[in-house]
Amino acid sequence: MGAPGHDPSSARLVVGVDIGNSTTEACLASLAPDGSVTYLGADLTRTTGVKGTPDNTAGALRVVRDVLARAGRRPEEVHTVLLNEATPVISGLAMETITETIITESTMIGHNPTTPGGQGLAVGTTVAIADLAGHPPGEPVVCVVPVEWDFDDVARVVNAAVARGVAVVAAVLAGDDAVLVTNRLDFPVPVVDEVRAVEKVPLGMLAAVEVAAPGRTIRTLSDSYGLASVFGLDPDQTRAVSPVARALTGNRSAVVVRTPSGDVTDRRIPVGELVLRGAGRELRVDVDAGAEAIMATVARLQPLDDVHGEPGTHVGGMLAQVRDTMTDVLHDADGSAEPAAIAIRDVLAVDTFVPAEVRGGLAGEVALENAVALAAMVRTSRSRMQLVADQVSAALGARAEIGGVEGEMAVGGALTTPGVDRPVAVLDLGGGSTDAALMTRDGVCTAVHVAGAGELVTKLIDSELALGDREVAEGVKWHPLAKVESFFHLRHEDGTVQFFDHPFPPQVFARVVVMTPDGPVPVDTRHGLDHVRRVRRAAKSRVFVVNAVRALRQVAPGGDLRALDFVVLLGGSALDFEIPELIADELAPYGIVCGTGNVLGTQGPRTAVASGLVRSHAAAMSCPAG
């Protein structure tokens, strides 16, 4: 569609638009007839829909109107909107959950109530508090208290039973009254409280209760041989209950109840094989072999043509879901689902841990199991972007063109960074994929896309810290950590201490927090600051550093990183406070100069593709074809 009403002898207003996985960025510029460019502004918004689909139109129009408003220009003045050739990318995650532990007819409680009562290890038979008055003296008793019981009544009944000779050695409470009860007992015993599913604790069974001293963790019930000693287990039974011990590690209190018929069984969940095609060959690799073996196979088949998973397995379901999602997206967009045209062109495997639920637990106990995370990248044709261009053109009454390949445009934008010249390589660190491009001194550009970026990092953090909350995981990824040590001071993750004039809110006291611009936000985890920091940095390294190296090897002459001189980091993840440092440290031994881009000298690592589209269009204007 043309742009009627524009004088070809006057400057033209053009907008470069880069539709990414997470954000859509725009760069507004005025192009003189001689091809000179005057940049007028840049803006960004969240991407609407899956990248490279017609759902992107709403976000593209929004960011174009926003950047025009910011520059004081009107939509009618726009001559051309330049869109990137956005490749649809969908990433998925498959977890190699090797073993699921099922405890049948056995029960465990392992959690960290804020204030358990008493301390020590006690073993006895579970008895409901309502039956305590009639219980005969003799055997040790673990008293089980429903939520409706008041702490004064609990203490009175227990004291009366003890006075009759009943050996009450511990208590399990539904309410949050452990300290209140303990303070009223004539003979304090370990008390575990806040057990919401206390009605599921089996009665008349042998139980062990352990509460550690403040600042310490339990030692007996979190040790396989400790459990064997308490319950008199043989070697086979000890091997079977070892997952219970692992699940209780790090807790301050725990209860384990063993029934006479209690046993532990393991159920093997099939993980499956990956079937990879590329370089004229087909190879299979078992996901059980781990990330290193998978990535070695991927490297032997470059460039990949497609990847499938074994049907009926974890990995088969995951890859099928990725294909189905893309098929649905295309079908919803224009009714032209083309499953045959959808190919998985890259996968990234990362060794990780996943929280596996231990059945029989009453407080959501989990044990971390070895796992492999898989990010898969789906690419399809550019035909959907033409629909976006047509819709943008119709809405704005301006010409809309698909301007060029993302990698080449990103290099063009990176070249506006002060101090950068060809030959140069760029790494675009996005949300779903990591892209690399190399432009030689002669202007020849080579670009690749590899699976895995910021979204995978978030999922790894969420999984390995067992957060179960994506927003919290995002906070851990983006912001430095600290530990609130008093109402007026905290200790940052680098060890420095900062004091404040006003007290912190009580919900962050003694908690690990992320230091957001709006203040400290607590992280709901039982792990310490050092562990959370280690998980965060390891996740970033296993995704971004690994992807940076393998993407650069694919564009470097002869696959030799030493042949590269300059690498510019672009994209939203280049704004991260430690990812550029991690990548630069990895590339330093190869003699590579690596840093974060500053597009147009003012925009930082953002809008590289959008400004590259404008540069490319201006160059085409000044050197018309033919």
Side-chain angles (χ1 to χ4, degrees):
M1 179 176 294
H6 290 277
D7 182 358
S9 63
S10 62
R12 296 176 176 179
L13 206 60
V14 300
V15 187
V17 178
D18 172 27
I19 299 172
N21 289 291
S22 302
T23 61
T24 298
E25 302 171 348
C27 176
L28 176 66
S30 175
L31 270 58
D34 63 355
S36 60
V37 181
T38 303
Y39 292 100
L40 303 177
D43 210 332
L44 62 85
T45 188
R46 292 192 65 83
T47 295
T48 51
V50 176
K51 174 183 175 182
T53 65
D55 288 343
N56 301 152
T57 302
L61 288 172
R62 183 185 308 139
V63 76
V64 169
R65 287 168 176 149
D66 288 349
V67 74
L68 287 169
R70 189 183 290 271
R73 309 299 288 264
R74 293 175 289 107
E76 304 84 64
E77 298 179 63
V78 176
H79 182 274
T80 305
V81 176
L82 305 165
L83 296 161
N84 62 319
E85 185 184 340
T87 303
V89 175
I90 295 179
S91 64
L93 199 61
M95 294 296 188
E96 176 208 6
T97 308
I98 303 297
T99 302
E100 182 179 4
T101 302
I102 304 171
I103 305 175
T104 58
E105 300 182 30
S106 241
T107 303
M108 55 173 285
I109 304 167
H111 68 155
N112 280 318
T114 308
T115 51
Q119 65 182 61
L121 173 68
V123 181
T125 302
T126 52
V127 175
I129 191 168
D131 300 331
L132 205 55
H135 197 78
E139 63 178 4
V141 167
V142 173
C143 181
V144 179
V145 184
V147 68
E148 62 269 18
W149 278 68
D150 180 77
F151 59 88
D152 266 332
D153 293 334
V154 174
R156 177 177 51 77
V157 171
V158 170
N159 285 332
V162 171
R164 288 192 302 105
V166 178
V168 179
V169 296
V172 179
L173 278 58
D176 183 18
D177 299 328
V179 174
L180 295 173
V181 170
T182 305
N183 288 343
R184 286 162 174 77
L185 295 179
D186 297 331
F187 300 95
V189 296
V191 179
V192 173
D193 62 359
E194 301 179 54
V195 180
R196 286 173 293 181
V198 73
E199 70 279 0
K200 295 183 180 178
V201 175
L203 300 176
M205 304 299 171
L206 189 63
V209 179
E210 184 174 10
V211 175
R216 295 179 179 273
T217 58
I218 58 172
R219 302 294 299 273
T220 302
L221 300 186
S222 61
D223 184 284
S224 298
Y225 300 122
L227 283 172
S229 301
V230 168
F231 293 109
L233 305 179
D234 60 30
D236 288 339
Q237 293 170 323
T238 302
R239 184 182 299 108
V241 300
S242 60
V244 175
R246 290 205 311 274
L248 297 178
T249 301
N251 287 343
R252 191 187 162 197
S253 65
V255 180
V256 176
V257 184
R258 180 169 172 76
T259 64
S261 57
D263 58 4
V264 177
T265 59
D266 291 341
R267 178 162 63 90
R268 190 80 171 179
I269 298 176
V271 180
E273 288 183 330
L274 279 175
V275 184
L276 304 102
R277 287 192 292 106
R281 295 184 296 169
E282 178 176 298
L283 295 177
R284 291 173 174 266
V285 58
D286 197 325
V287 179
D288 276 340
E292 186 175 350
I294 295 171
M295 295 313 296
T297 306
V298 171
R300 293 168 58 191
L301 297 176
Q302 289 299 321
L304 274 180
D305 295 327
D306 203 358
V307 182
H308 288 270
E310 185 181 359
T313 64
H314 272 313
V315 69
M318 174 261 184
L319 296 184
Q321 185 177 21
V322 171
R323 287 179 202 278
D324 290 345
T325 301
M326 180 55 84
T327 302
D328 292 343
V329 167
L330 298 180
H331 183 80
D332 292 343
D334 57 7
S336 63
E338 303 171 10
I342 297 172
I344 294 176
R345 306 303 293 271
D346 188 58
V347 294
L348 172 67
V350 178
D351 287 322
T352 183
F353 299 96
V354 294
E357 180 182 357
V358 180
R359 296 192 182 179
L362 297 187
E365 292 84 353
V366 297
L368 289 178
E369 300 284 357
N370 291 326
V372 171
L374 281 179
M377 188 180 72
V378 171
R379 298 180 63 189
T380 185
S381 67
R382 56 174 285 179
S383 59
R384 307 285 92 72
M385 279 307 298
Q386 189 57 54
L387 289 177
V388 178
D390 293 343
Q391 292 172 358
V392 168
S393 176
L396 295 176
R399 184 193 305 273
E401 301 175 356
I402 298 175
V405 178
E406 280 184 286
E408 189 173 343
M409 296 302 105
V411 173
L415 287 170
T416 65
T417 295
V420 173
D421 199 0
R422 296 183 295 191
V424 60
V426 301
L427 279 172
D428 192 347
L429 312 174
S433 66
T434 301
D435 307 328
L438 172 70
M439 182 170 283
T440 66
R441 194 175 299 280
D442 299 330
V444 178
C445 187
T446 307
V448 298
H449 308 268
V450 296
E455 281 296 324
L456 180 57
V457 172
T458 301
K459 289 179 178 178
L460 291 175
I461 292 173
D462 191 16
S463 173
E464 295 188 13
L465 294 178
L467 297 174
D469 189 323
R470 183 187 178 280
E471 292 304 314
V472 175
E474 276 281 298
V476 172
K477 181 180 75 173
W478 277 108
H479 304 292
L481 298 163
K483 178 71 178 291
V484 178
E485 296 184 336
S486 80
F487 285 116
F488 291 95
H489 87 277
L490 56 76
R491 187 178 299 275
H492 293 281
E493 65 177 62
D494 64 357
T496 58
V497 174
Q498 184 177 2
F499 291 87
F500 293 80
D501 294 331
H502 302 286
F504 292 116
Q507 64 267 25
V508 304
F509 181 64
R511 303 283 298 277
V512 175
V513 296
V514 290
M515 299 300 293
T516 72
D518 298 326
V521 175
V523 180
D524 187 13
T525 178
R526 69 181 186 183
H527 299 293
L529 185 150
D530 289 342
H531 180 81
V532 177
R533 179 176 182 269
R534 188 163 54 249
V535 167
R536 183 196 71 208
R537 287 178 64 88
K540 291 176 179 177
S541 179
R542 284 177 289 164
V543 175
F544 281 111
V545 174
V546 169
N547 263 352
V549 171
R550 72 188 188 108
L552 289 175
R553 285 192 194 282
Q554 293 181 45
V555 298
D560 183 7
L561 293 183
R562 295 186 184 281
L564 301 176
D565 293 322
F566 299 97
V567 172
V568 180
L569 305 181
L570 303 172
S573 294
L575 293 168
D576 186 272
F577 67 99
E578 59 188 352
I579 288 175
E581 168 195 319
L582 292 171
I583 295 176
D585 287 348
E586 182 69 19
L587 299 181
Y590 299 96
I592 297 173
V593 178
C594 178
T596 303
N598 189 16
V599 178
L600 304 178
T602 58
Q603 300 299 316
R606 294 284 198 184
T607 67
V609 173
S611 57
L613 287 165
V614 173
R615 275 174 56 98
S616 176
H617 185 71
M621 281 181 56
S622 59
C623 300

